[in-house]
Each structure stands twice: as C-alpha cells, then as structure tokens.
C-alpha cells in the first residue's frame, strides 16, 4: 500500500516508517519538523535501502494537505503529527488544541473527499485519566486531565463520528502507553528538539553528562517502591503494532491499547539502565509532578487476541537500545 504518514520524521513515526517499508509498503511523509530533523528520514532510507517521499509541510494547512491527496494515490493515512508535551499543553492550550485537533479534522476531511477509508491514529493512555488500572479499551473516557489529553479524546471522537457516518471508513485508535527505546542500529531514536519531557530521554541525557541529575518526581506513591509505575513499551514493538493494526483493520472503530501489560517503577527503570549499560545515573528525589498518577499500565489482551500482536522486547532491550542511540546521537 501507499501510506501517508504525518509526523513521520518524529520518534514513533520514524520507527513506524521503517516497519512499514520493511513490510513492503511505500510511504509519503508530511512533517513540519517542529520536533524532528529531516536527517532521520535519510537514516531510514539507509537502513531499508528504500525511498521515502517527503513534504516539509504543516498538516494544519488545508490547501497543502489537499494538494498531496490530489497528487498521490493514497491507500491509508497514519496520523502521528502532533504536539506531545503534557506540561506545555497546560501553558499553551490553544496551540495544542489548534495543532492536534485541526490536523485531525483536515486529514479526516481529505479522506472523505478523496475516498480514503483506512486511518490509523496515534492516541494515548492519557485518555484514561484517573481510571482504575489496568486500563481497558472500553473504559469510559471521563477524565483526561490536561489540554494534551483532551486533544486526544476529541480527535478520537471526531474519527469515531466519521466512522459512524460512513460505514466504509475504518479507523484504528491506538492508545500508546510509554514508548521508549530505539532502533537497534542506534541510528534512529528519540531526539527531541528541546529539553525532554519524559523519563527515558532524561535518564540517557543525565548518563551522557548533558544534564547533571535526574529528578525523581516523588517516592511516596502507593506503589511497589514509592515511585511512579508505568508501562514502558519498546518503540520497535510499538511500530510493529501499527503494521498489525493496518493488517487487521475492520470497518468502523478499532480501539487498542499498545503496551506490555507490565508496570515498572522509576527506581526499577533507573537501576536496570545502570546495570545493563554499566553507567551511573545520579538522581535526587523531588516533589510529585502535578497531574501525575501513581500507576499506569495496560490490559493488552484485546490487541493480543485481535491483532495477534504482542510486545516482545523488555526493559533490558529498552535500556540497552536507548543508550546505544544516545551515545551515537549528535545534535
Ligand atoms: P514527536 O514529537 O517525536 O513526533 C511528532 C512529529 O510530528 C514531529 O516530527 C513533529 O515535527 C511533527 N508535527 C507536529 N505538528 C505538526 C504539524 N502541524 N504538521 C506537520 N508535522 C507536525 O512525537 P512522538 O513521540 O513520535 O509522538 C507521535 C504521536 O504519538 C503524537 O501524536 C503523540 O501525541 C502520540 N503519543 C506519543 C507518546 C509518547 O510518549 N511519545 C505517547 C502517546 C501518544
Ligand atoms: C514516567 C514516570 C514520572 C520524568 C507521558 C504522558 C502520556 C504519554 C507518555 C503522550 C512518571 C517520572 C518523569 C522525570 C520522573 N505521552 N519522571 N522524572 O507522565 O507517564 O506519560 O508520556 O501521550 O500522555 O503523560 O511519562 O516519561 O513523563 O513519566 O521521576 O524527569 O517517570 O513522575 O512516574 P508519563 P513520563
């Protein structure tokens, strides 16, 4: 298939482009490079020995997006493009609502106009808010706690309503848990343009000496050791989950948790990283981060059963691969 990948130069999008090319698909990437570099696409070409068509454009620009659909035969859309910092979304809600919701509207509209009926959307475990763990796909989405989370809930609703109105439209809403790790080549990985927001890029940058100390946000949660527990999924497994979602796309709305089903605490992740890579990660305990929950992990039985997909890589692979990428990565 010929697949339009928005945000394909970014962290998850780039690994998914790799997986799609390896699975024999062709990809067209739209990315405004606000949080990525075009060199990532060159690295994917090097790894796969395949071409990628790239347009450096903003997905909120309707006429630019329209011209891509007009000029290319597209079989499916993978929509990764979005702003993803939870804390920034609280400070800049309009920017987040505009970028993340308008991009979804424009793409859904183009799909309708050009009769494209396969759509895969990057959603997030954040839509579950403060539901009870493990999170299940059929939970009521009543409590996304931030503008970022709301943009995912709203985008999910838009795509669900499009599917209700058009029985031929197939959409997969993929709710990622905590994507981490990097491709084993060390060539592609998580390379945010600014200071990272998430735990793993912090750990790797502290280990490399780019930052002095990791701050651990709270050691008094009701968890195994007091630190926050998350479901860390290797980005390569996550990318393969997208290929599985495409292969098993049914008419209507398909919702899947993409996680491992296992929780790991901050202390456990730091310790594993130090042991696997034989490096030191200095840290200090600070207050809890506002908005954080104690535990977040997936029930993955639906994806395992219906997509016949399961995360294969574990915390050791994650720590090794994230560090390999960080060591090789030059800004
Ligand atoms: P990323 O920032 O690495 O990638 C997003 C890409 O989209 C970047 O290359 C950026 O330049 C591009 N982009 C942003 N707005 C755009 C626009 N208007 N037009 C064109 N390009 C635009 O982030 P990621 O971690 O790869 O996340 C991909 C998607 O998955 C996002 O939608 C994110 O919200 C979602 N998600 C991420 C996580 C995570 O922890 N990384 C978890 C759950 C969901
Ligand atoms: C993980 C754990 C922190 C940084 C976010 C979004 C979620 C999804 C994934 C997009 C928590 C602790 C973190 C640090 C720390 N993204 N931590 N020191 O918050 O689970 O999820 O990214 O959709 O929507 O909310 O991920 O990596 O920020 O935090 O102690 O410097 O690490 O408190 O327990 P989070 P994270």
């Amino acid at each position: 298939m010929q697949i339009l990948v928005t945000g394909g130069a970014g962290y998850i999008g780039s690994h998914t482009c790799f997986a799609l090319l390896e699975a024999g698909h062709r990809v067209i990437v739209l990315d405004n490079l606000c949080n990525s570099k075009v060199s990532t696409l060159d690295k994917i070409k090097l790894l796969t020995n395949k071409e990628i068509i790239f347009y450096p454009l903003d997905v909120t620009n309707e006429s630019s997006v329209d011209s891509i659909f007009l000029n290319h035969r597209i079989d499916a859309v993978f929509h990764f493009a979005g702003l993803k910092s939870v804390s920034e979304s609280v400070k800049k809600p309009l920017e987040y609502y505009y970028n993340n919701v308008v991009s979804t509207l424009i793409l859904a509209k183009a799909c309708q106009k050009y009769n494209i009926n396969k759509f895969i959307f990057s959603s997030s475990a954040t839509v579950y808010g403060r539901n009870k763990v493990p999170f299940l796909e059929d939970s009521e989405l009543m409590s996304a706690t931030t503008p970022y989370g709301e943009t995912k809930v709203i985008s999910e609703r838009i795509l669900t309503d499009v599917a209700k109105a058009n029985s031929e439209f197939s959409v997969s809403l993929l709710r990622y848990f905590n994507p981490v790790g990097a491709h084993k080549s060390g060539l592609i990985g998580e390379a945010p343009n600014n200071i990272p927001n998430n735990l793993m890029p912090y750990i790797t940058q502290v280990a490399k000496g780019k930052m002095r100390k990791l701050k651990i946000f709270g050691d008094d949660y009701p968890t195994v050791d007091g630190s926050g527990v998350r479901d860390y999924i290797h980005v390569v497994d996550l990318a393969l989950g997208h290929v599985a979602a495409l292969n098993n796309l049914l008419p209507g709305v398909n919702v899947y948790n993409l996680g491992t089903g296992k929780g790991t605490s901050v202390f456990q992740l730091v310790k594993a990283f130090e042991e696997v890579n034989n490096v030191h990660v200095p840290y200090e305990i600070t207050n809890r981060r506002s908005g954080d929950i104690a535990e977040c992990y997936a029930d993955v039985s639906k994806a395992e059963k219906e997509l016949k997909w399961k995360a294969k890589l574990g915390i050791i692979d994650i720590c090794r691969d994230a560090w390999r990428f960080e060591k090789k990565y030059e800004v």
Side-chain angles (χ1 to χ4, degrees):
M1 279 189 236
Q2 176 133 284
I3 299 172
L4 184 73
V5 183
T6 76
Y11 176 45
I12 305 168
S14 60
H15 288 82
T16 306
C17 284
F18 174 86
L20 287 170
L21 290 167
E22 290 287 281
H25 299 291
R26 296 179 303 284
V27 300
I28 301 171
V29 168
L30 307 188
D31 200 304
N32 66 2
L33 304 176
C34 69
N35 197 34
S36 54
K37 297 189 176 60
V38 69
S39 57
T40 299
L41 299 176
D42 298 329
K43 290 173 187 161
I44 302 170
K45 290 186 213 166
L46 193 75
L47 288 170
T48 57
N49 205 17
K50 291 186 176 152
E51 275 312 307
I52 293 177
I53 302 173
F54 173 56
Y55 292 96
L57 62 80
D58 197 307
V59 186
T60 61
N61 183 326
E62 190 165 0
S63 57
S64 307
V65 170
D66 192 86
S67 70
I68 304 298
F69 281 78
L70 187 66
N71 289 316
H72 293 277
R73 215 204 63 158
I74 292 163
D75 300 300
V77 173
F78 280 51
H79 181 29
F80 294 95
L83 301 175
K84 66 165 177 176
S85 161
V86 170
S87 56
E88 191 182 53
S89 80
V90 175
K91 291 180 202 131
K92 300 178 178 172
L94 286 177
E95 214 174 285
Y96 271 69
Y97 280 111
Y98 189 82
N99 195 68
N100 292 4
V101 178
V102 172
S103 58
T104 303
L105 280 172
I106 286 175
L107 287 166
K109 202 169 153 194
C111 285
Q112 190 170 292
K113 181 170 170 191
Y114 294 94
N115 201 22
I116 291 146
N117 288 323
K118 292 185 168 63
F119 199 105
I120 311 277
F121 177 64
S122 296
S123 190
S124 166
T126 198
V127 300
Y128 292 114
R130 297 189 179 276
N131 270 291
K132 211 163 122 305
V133 286
F135 295 142
L136 266 164
E137 287 88 346
D138 59 6
S139 314
E140 203 186 330
L141 306 185
M142 59 215 174
S143 54
T145 49
T146 61
Y148 169 76
E150 285 297 343
T151 69
K152 294 297 176 190
V153 173
I154 294 168
S155 291
E156 285 201 2
R157 285 204 188 114
I158 292 168
L159 295 166
T160 300
D161 287 341
V162 172
K164 277 188 197 156
N166 173 3
S167 60
E168 281 172 19
F169 190 69
S170 307
V171 60
S172 210
L173 308 174
L174 301 181
R175 295 177 180 160
Y176 314 153
F177 280 68
N178 287 58
V180 281
H183 186 262
K184 64 179 185 308
S185 64
L187 288 180
I188 54 172
E190 185 164 19
N193 283 350
N194 299 307
I195 297 173
N197 299 293
N198 298 113
L199 178 61
M200 184 51 99
Y202 250 105
I203 293 178
T204 59
Q205 295 198 12
V206 169
K208 205 178 183 186
K210 282 198 217 166
M211 278 184 287
R212 214 171 53 82
K213 251 186 203 175
L214 170 72
K215 288 183 177 146
I216 295 188
F217 300 142
D219 65 350
D220 58 351
Y221 283 105
T223 59
V224 60
D225 55 21
S227 65
V229 165
R230 298 292 183 269
D231 185 339
Y232 296 97
I233 174 161
H234 197 298
V235 67
V236 167
D237 278 330
L238 185 63
L240 293 173
H242 288 72
V243 179
L246 179 66
N247 291 341
N248 294 282
L249 197 55
L250 299 170
V253 185
N254 305 261
V255 189
Y256 295 108
N257 285 339
L258 296 186
T260 66
K262 295 185 197 84
T264 303
S265 76
V266 179
F267 287 127
Q268 288 169 341
L269 190 65
V270 172
K271 186 159 177 273
F273 189 90
E274 292 187 320
E275 283 177 7
V276 171
N277 298 313
N278 199 20
V279 288
H280 182 46
V281 180
Y283 66 79
E284 61 183 336
I285 314 290
T286 66
N287 290 336
R288 291 181 180 189
R289 183 173 62 180
S290 148
D292 271 358
I293 52 175
E295 292 191 292
C296 170
Y297 52 91
D299 183 311
V300 287
S301 43
K302 186 166 182 244
E304 283 183 21
K305 187 167 164 240
E306 294 181 13
L307 302 181
K308 287 152 214 76
W309 166 90
K310 192 177 169 31
K312 293 200 174 83
L313 301 166
I315 291 295
I316 291 176
D317 309 287
I318 283 168
C319 292
R320 186 197 54 226
D321 295 342
W323 183 229
R324 187 190 295 114
F325 173 73
E326 182 67 54
K327 278 191 294 180
K328 274 196 185 185
Y329 182 68
E330 301 293 339
V331 180

